[in-house]
Amino acid sequence: MNQTLTPSPLDTALALQRQAYLAHPVPTLAERKADLRTLQRFVREHKEALCDAISADYGHRSRHETLLAEVFPVVDGIDHVIKHLPGWMKTQRRNVDLRTFFGASNRVIPQPLGVVGVIVPWNFPLNLSLVPLTSIFAAGNRAMVKMSENSRHLAAYLIAHMPAYFPPEKLQFFDETGGVGIAFSQLKFDHLLFTGSGATGRLVMSAAAQNLCPVTLELGGRSPAIVCEDFPVRVAAERILFVKFLNAGQICTTVDHLWLPQAKVEAFVQAAREIVPARYPTLDSPDYTSIIDQRSFDRLLAALDDARERGATLLPLLPGPAFDASVRKINPHIVLDAPPESVLWQREIFGPILPIRGYRSLEEVIDAVNAGPRPLAVYPFSHDRGTVRVLLERVMSGGVSVNDALFHVGQHDLPFGGVGESGMGHYHGHDGFNTFSKLRPVFYQGRFPTLKFLMPPYGKLADRVLAFLIR
């Protein structure tokens, strides 16, 4: 007896969106702008509830951090895209070799790919779902979005409220209820964007490869800050510590660890002891975010214990306890003299812990960074252009912020992406539009094709023409 298999909700959603794409493959500029304005309107109308949902997923997430790092980039980024979208959508003229193709013309036409899949991490779940959607909709595509298992409250809210703004043939969200991520990455998308760990990224890429589905991978990376001799320690501390403890360090592009001239380590520590308590007076400050789950909380405490057991000095920067297990908050820490084999130097930290290593020559730093996987970002601090140039030329990374950290990610007109083990591909702004478009080359033959003189049977005329072309 034959049994008919019932399509899964994922398969059904993809089939619906694929059918809608084939029926209307190239949305107009007006339609794309309308989608973008609708996405922006959703965020504006629901921003408080979105902040509450994300905070519930964390246990506690600073409302101001959510507004700054998630709501604002989406709203502001959509304005940027709408302003520039008419120019991005224009057909591009390309040169023609007039000796061979006199009278012909070349064009590149940006066209939608179709249906794009997005796999979202938990650390900035609104930003890392809606910012890609901005590029995806700008390029004229449809999208399916799979949220993290640690974003249950937000996922439920998006699933419940987004259908009032977008029909299912345009956009659908999915929660992680067990095995969804694996099945999602096996779908025959026209493009797949994954943001998350390198280990999971390898699995996603392997699954997508079975369908020859192109992927953009935004992975982790141990991003170093490198403070050079000429840069003021206090200024460096103010900037680095803001980025490091934003979202309690749970940012893929945060400062993972810090290189300081050996003679300036003590001054940096002293500055940190003044700066951090002024920003977060106590561990229960509403401006200080919790660690996302118990497993991550335990992992970070184990990393601190490992460093202590190996002879490192642990310096909590706030008064009171080193952590509060009831709310999963860890006191911001500086760690000195952790040996290279310690967990803090071997793996991405993803928490409010800043290992510092003193150096005596910049060459020492360059060699150490280059000995590991290419980081997602590098943060040189120097007012000397020659020094900055050396670091840019000799240390490869996904992106760079000079004399600060993180903020290259917030630039709408810069591509965001990794390199090597920190990822592949780019999005944001025009680069995002290109990533989710097929830049389709089109050749238009002229009325009288010149290559007719090179058609068989070949003879003396063909000899003379070829001799002319390759002289």
Side-chain angles (χ1 to χ4, degrees):
M1 180 177 177
N2 293 329
Q3 292 183 340
T4 302
L5 296 177
T6 302
S8 72
L10 293 175
D11 291 324
T12 300
L14 179 58
L16 178 67
Q17 293 199 0
R18 178 83 66 219
Q19 183 179 19
Y21 161 73
L22 292 173
H24 185 42
V26 185
T28 65
L29 172 63
E31 289 171 324
R32 300 184 199 196
K33 284 185 173 181
D35 286 337
L36 293 169
R37 288 296 186 204
T38 299
L39 191 64
Q40 190 181 58
R41 179 165 56 86
F42 170 81
V43 175
R44 283 178 167 151
E45 292 176 354
H46 295 263
K47 65 177 183 295
E48 294 301 332
L50 293 169
C51 288
D52 291 342
I54 294 171
S55 185
D57 285 325
Y58 268 84
H60 173 73
R61 213 298 183 82
S62 164
R63 173 178 171 274
H64 290 88
E65 287 185 351
T66 299
L67 291 173
L68 173 65
E70 306 222 50
V71 173
F72 172 70
V74 174
V75 172
D76 192 55
I78 289 173
D79 285 337
H80 173 83
V81 170
I82 288 176
K83 177 181 178 182
H84 295 280
L85 186 55
W88 298 347
M89 289 178 62
K90 285 182 179 178
T91 297
Q92 306 167 23
R93 291 177 174 269
R94 297 294 177 91
N95 292 326
V96 177
D97 185 348
L98 296 179
R99 293 184 305 171
T100 314
F101 301 103
F102 183 80
S105 62
N106 286 333
R107 300 289 185 268
V108 170
I109 305 174
Q111 291 186 325
L113 290 171
V115 183
V116 178
V118 183
I119 300 178
V120 184
W122 52 261
N123 62 327
F124 288 103
L126 191 69
N127 181 312
L128 295 174
S129 57
L130 302 196
V131 169
L133 281 178
T134 301
S135 295
I136 290 165
F137 286 169
N141 299 290
R142 300 162 191 277
M144 295 168 57
V145 183
K146 203 284 292 184
M147 304 299 289
S148 167
E149 63 182 1
N150 280 333
S151 298
R152 289 285 164 78
H153 291 88
L154 179 63
Y157 194 88
L158 293 171
I159 290 169
H161 293 89
M162 194 64 85
Y165 294 77
F166 292 99
E169 62 268 23
K170 183 69 180 183
L171 174 64
Q172 289 194 51
F173 282 85
F174 297 88
D175 193 6
E176 177 54 78
T177 55
V180 176
I182 296 173
F184 194 92
S185 61
Q186 293 172 340
L187 294 174
K188 293 183 178 180
F189 290 116
D190 298 295
H191 196 103
L192 181 60
L193 168 63
F194 169 81
T195 305
S197 71
T200 306
R202 286 177 169 85
L203 297 176
V204 168
M205 189 173 182
S206 177
Q210 304 309 306
N211 297 314
L212 294 180
C213 174
V215 296
T216 297
L217 298 180
E218 305 298 349
L219 310 177
R222 300 187 60 248
S223 304
I226 305 168
V227 178
C228 300
E229 286 284 357
D230 68 290
F231 200 86
V233 171
R234 177 79 187 199
V235 175
E238 290 173 349
R239 298 176 185 179
I240 290 169
L241 295 171
F242 169 66
V243 169
K244 180 61 181 181
F245 300 131
L246 183 72
N247 205 41
Q250 298 166 107
I251 308 176
C252 59
T253 44
T254 193
V255 175
D256 184 82
H257 53 282
L258 171 61
W259 292 88
L260 278 169
Q262 188 65 54
K264 296 190 175 186
V265 172
E266 185 177 344
F268 186 95
V269 170
Q270 181 57 41
R273 292 185 186 277
E274 298 169 2
I275 293 167
V276 175
R279 293 173 178 170
Y280 314 103
T282 61
L283 195 55
D284 63 357
S285 166
D287 296 327
Y288 190 57
T289 294
S290 297
I291 303 303
I292 186 66
D293 59 18
Q294 192 63 42
R295 182 178 62 179
S296 299
F297 182 79
D298 293 341
R299 175 184 61 81
L300 290 166
L301 293 184
L304 286 172
D305 289 340
D306 171 78
R308 182 187 296 109
E309 291 167 2
R310 295 178 187 274
T313 301
L314 276 54
L315 303 175
L317 298 175
L318 299 181
F323 60 87
D324 184 344
S326 67
V327 291
R328 293 196 307 274
K329 287 190 176 184
I330 296 176
N331 198 319
H333 276 70
I334 282 177
V335 178
L336 302 177
D337 302 321
E341 62 271 16
S342 64
V343 172
L344 293 177
W345 282 103
Q346 292 296 319
R347 301 176 186 173
E348 186 179 13
I349 296 169
F350 227 69
I353 302 167
L354 180 63
I356 295 177
R357 181 174 293 178
Y359 69 88
R360 289 179 172 78
S361 74
L362 203 55
E363 197 70 25
E364 173 188 349
V365 180
I366 292 170
D367 290 344
V369 176
N370 286 340
R374 287 175 165 176
L376 186 54
V378 166
Y379 302 125
F381 285 75
S382 176
H383 292 306
D384 184 85
R385 292 184 180 182
T387 300
V388 172
R389 185 177 64 253
V390 166
L391 290 171
L392 289 177
E393 291 177 351
R394 297 191 56 194
V395 179
M396 176 55 71
S397 67
V400 183
S401 289
V402 177
N403 296 337
D404 216 319
L406 178 65
F407 297 124
H408 67 287
V409 179
Q411 309 309 306
H412 299 311
D413 205 27
L414 284 181
F416 170 68
V419 61
E421 291 191 31
S422 58
M424 63 180 68
H426 297 92
Y427 69 104
H428 285 198
H430 194 190
D431 296 274
F433 175 85
N434 286 341
T435 289
F436 300 116
S437 296
K438 168 57 180 174
L439 300 181
R440 197 172 183 185
V442 181
F443 168 77
Y444 295 88
Q445 180 60 278
R447 186 177 296 272
F448 303 104
T450 53
L451 284 183
K452 68 179 182 179
F453 299 112
L454 288 174
M455 295 178 182
Y458 301 115
K460 291 183 178 180
L461 177 60
D463 289 339
R464 287 198 296 269
V465 171
L466 287 170
F468 169 75
L469 290 176
I470 61 177
R471 67 189 188 283

